[in-house]
Amino acid sequence: MDRLLDEIGARRDDLVDLTQQLIRIPTLNPPGLHYRDICALVGERMGRQGWDVRMIRAEGAPGDSDRHPRWNVVCRLEGQRPGECVHFNSHHDVVAVGEGWTRDPFGGELAEGRIWGRGACDMKGGLATSIVAAEAFTAICPDFAGAIEISATADEESGGYGGVAYLAGKGFFDPARVQHVIIPEPLNKDRICLGHRGVWWAEIETRGRIAHGSMPFLGDCAVRHMGAVLEEMEATLFPLLAGKRTAMPVVPEEARQSTLNLNSIHGGEPVQDADYTGLPSACVPDRCVLTIDRRFLVEEDISEVKQEVARMLEGIRASRPNFTYEIRDLFEVMPSMTPEDAPVVRMVQEAVTRVLGRSAEFVVSPGTYDQKHIDRIGRLKNCIAYGPGILDLAHQPDEWIGVDDMIDSGRVMGLALHSLLVAK
């Protein structure tokens, strides 16, 4: 397989150029910009090489609208004889740029052996790597069995419901159609990610009574009630979660416990537009809303996760006059973890060992990614995340991906394709 490894290395300049092209399309989510443009770029490239290309809009999915349609592309190449299908799935959306950049976030600059820009590691570098690896493989092994698929999908950064979830619901990840899935998320080139923790997002609302701000004793401040919630979380809930640990190999180490993030809080009158120059009105806030992001472990039951919060709030209500609240579920995802002896795990592990000279570390992601939909909706368990890029750089200013890392990961992907579609 030295020819395949050499071929992937020889495509270095093409890999850099493709990655730069992808970064230069600002697929910001929210609101969902330029999704069709990036899908067209991928589809036109693959179509010129004989791949079957399907452009799919997730009509009716959360976030989809005529102004910001949720576009996905799925490219498939059939082999010379029957066999299994290997699917590489990458999301094409990126998060907001944020502050602190010293380089053009959509410039795709090549410097210091790195390609810089928003989405470089998360995960346009992984998308480009899977494309170039597949192209090199088909050039060296044109008589392969089965099929290869490449997809670029929407909205992973906001739950994946306009992307992989939609496609899974349409049967694109049915185990009768696809047998192996590799998601090139940036978990580091010497790691194989087997799955992720679970998540429950919810809103907690406390209520009061509006009154004139000069006479707050005539009202009931919902923000003060929420203050009691925050105080009780610090006293009891956060210590409770810190004591829960998992046997899952979650990285980083601190994420092997249950966690709770207070995502946002708002009480009182709505935030005005940026060009509003007036002052707030003098009112006692009659509602306050806290959004929570609870990450839980495979050892935990989702019903107990929710009951912990409910019991805490009931305890506050029993001791605090006029305390009323409501909990509203936003969404939930169960933990997912592919077995270490699954076929795709074994083949990628063997490829990592050959390319890097050492075994890959098995890890679990602290946050969810699109494996959840492939597992829960598609009912396909033989799925992992493996790709180039350093996880800690995702969503950061001056995000980058190393070209050498992409070449190494591309070689791993190429060898895995050979093991699954030729050597079997």
Side-chain angles (χ1 to χ4, degrees), residues 20 53 86 90 161 172 175 182 270 287 328 341 372 395:
Q20 291 174 317
V53 176
V86 180
S90 301
Y161 297 99
F172 279 84
I182 299 172
R287 64 189 298 269
R328 292 185 292 270
D341 60 353
K372 58 183 178 285
H395 300 198

Side-chain angles (χ1 to χ4, degrees), residues 62 84 122 127 148-150 157 159 211 220 222 243 252 271 293 303 342 364 423:
E84 297 179 332
D122 187 17
L127 170 58
I148 306 171
E149 286 188 341
I150 300 282
E157 298 292 3
D220 185 19
V271 176
D293 174 357
S303 61
V364 167

Side-chain angles (χ1 to χ4, degrees), residues 92-106:
H92 58 58
D93 60 317
V94 301
V95 298
V97 171
E99 302 294 330
W101 285 78
T102 64
R103 301 173 187 266
D104 181 354
F106 297 111

Side-chain angles (χ1 to χ4, degrees), residues 380-415:
L380 176 59
K381 302 292 184 181
N382 193 36
C383 174
I384 60 169
Y386 173 78
I390 298 171
L391 179 60
D392 294 352
L393 298 176
H395 300 198
Q396 294 283 344
D398 286 345
E399 180 182 347
W400 57 268
I401 191 164
V403 179
D404 288 343
D405 289 346
M406 287 196 292
I407 294 293
D408 285 342
S409 288
R411 285 170 168 156
V412 169
M413 294 174 189
L415 290 179

Side-chain angles (χ1 to χ4, degrees), residues 115-298:
I115 305 173
W116 303 78
R118 175 54 83 223
C121 78
D122 187 17
M123 59 180 298
K124 292 179 177 180
L127 170 58
T129 299
S130 66
I131 291 172
V132 171
E135 291 171 344
F137 169 78
T138 57
I140 298 298
C141 305
D143 60 343
F144 69 93
I148 306 171
E149 286 188 341
I150 300 282
S151 64
T153 52
D155 284 5
E156 189 275 343
E157 298 292 3
S158 56
Y161 297 99
V164 170
Y166 184 87
L167 295 180
K170 298 295 183 181
F172 279 84
F173 294 98
D174 188 311
R177 183 180 181 279
V178 173
Q179 287 71 49
H180 312 273
V181 177
I182 299 172
I183 304 176
E185 287 276 9
L187 272 300
N188 301 15
K189 66 182 180 181
D190 57 355
R191 289 173 167 176
I192 296 173
C193 185
L194 304 176
H196 51 72
R197 295 190 297 175
V199 57
W200 172 49
W201 277 58
E203 288 181 340
I204 300 171
E205 180 176 344
T206 54
R207 302 192 185 98
R209 186 175 68 255
I210 194 169
H212 198 290
S214 68
M215 297 174 286
F217 44 83
L218 297 179
D220 185 19
C221 181
V223 173
R224 291 183 63 183
H225 287 311
M226 188 62 76
V229 173
L230 299 176
E231 183 178 17
E232 188 62 23
M233 283 181 169
E234 294 290 350
T236 63
L237 189 55
F238 282 110
L240 173 67
L241 301 186
K244 297 187 178 189
R245 301 286 294 177
T246 183
M248 300 170 77
V250 185
V251 291
E253 176 69 27
E254 294 84 352
R256 294 195 180 186
Q257 69 174 54
S258 298
T259 58
L260 175 66
N261 177 51
L262 308 183
N263 180 268
S264 65
I265 187 168
H266 182 78
E269 64 181 85
V271 176
Q272 303 299 323
D273 293 338
D275 59 354
Y276 178 73
T277 60
L279 297 173
S281 57
C283 292
V284 175
D286 58 2
R287 64 189 298 269
C288 187
V289 178
L290 170 68
T291 303
I292 62 171
D293 174 357
R294 171 74 159 87
R295 305 296 169 132
F296 61 96
L297 314 174
V298 72

